Amino acid sequence: MVSFKSFINQIPCDYHTQALTDSSIIYIRYTDLLSLYQKSHRWEKFGRLMAQEAFNITMTRIEGFLFKSAEERYLDLIKQHPDIFNNVPLYHISSYLGIQVVSEQNPKKNFG
């Protein structure tokens, strides 16, 4: 999990990422990746495919916010990750989907 923009441009990321479940992390330094690209066309192909996948994921997420309702984004998430509610707190899921959790309103509040 990386900010592809920050990685490629070698600039700090504006946000932090935290794993919500047990995870394994594999990492590579940018200079080492560039060295692999120079040594092998297979690594260049790997880098291109990873960049394409990152782009597709990003565009799908952006288009979801532009063209889908919150309910459609929710149904897509359940379809793609059916066990998510067993592993991730609801407030993280609602934040990811761009849905604000509705709090209980005070029925005695005077609006007049």
Side-chain angles (χ1 to χ4, degrees):
M1 184 70 213
V2 66
S3 165
F4 192 67
K5 174 184 161 189
S6 293
F7 183 70
I8 295 301
N9 294 315
Q10 291 294 279
I11 58 173
C13 183
D14 293 328
Y15 56 87
H16 300 280
T17 302
Q18 178 180 355
L20 298 176
T21 60
D22 290 341
S23 303
S24 296
I25 297 174
I26 299 171
Y27 69 93
I28 187 167
R29 288 182 181 84
Y30 184 67
T31 54
D32 294 336
L33 183 63
L34 292 179
S35 177
L36 287 171
Y37 288 168
Q38 291 175 349
K39 292 178 184 177
S40 167
H41 289 296
R42 288 184 181 180
W43 276 107
E44 283 182 318
K45 181 179 180 181
F46 173 79
R48 178 180 49 81
L49 293 174
M50 293 302 294
Q52 286 175 198
E53 184 63 21
F55 178 79
N56 283 332
I57 290 169
T58 301
M59 288 305 300
T60 299
R61 184 141 165 80
I62 290 169
E63 289 168 350
F65 278 104
L66 292 173
F67 304 119
K68 292 184 177 184
S69 68
E71 181 179 359
E72 289 171 317
R73 292 192 305 273
Y74 169 80
L75 293 173
D76 286 346
L77 181 64
I78 290 175
K79 184 177 177 182
Q80 293 169 5
H81 304 282
D83 294 329
I84 193 164
F85 290 101
N86 297 329
N87 301 309
V88 179
L90 186 57
Y91 65 95
H92 285 303
I93 295 170
S94 65
S95 174
Y96 176 81
L97 294 171
I99 302 170
Q100 292 187 3
V101 178
V102 178
S103 63
E104 186 176 328
Q105 294 181 355
N106 183 348
K108 296 179 183 178
K109 188 172 183 178
N110 184 356
F111 292 99

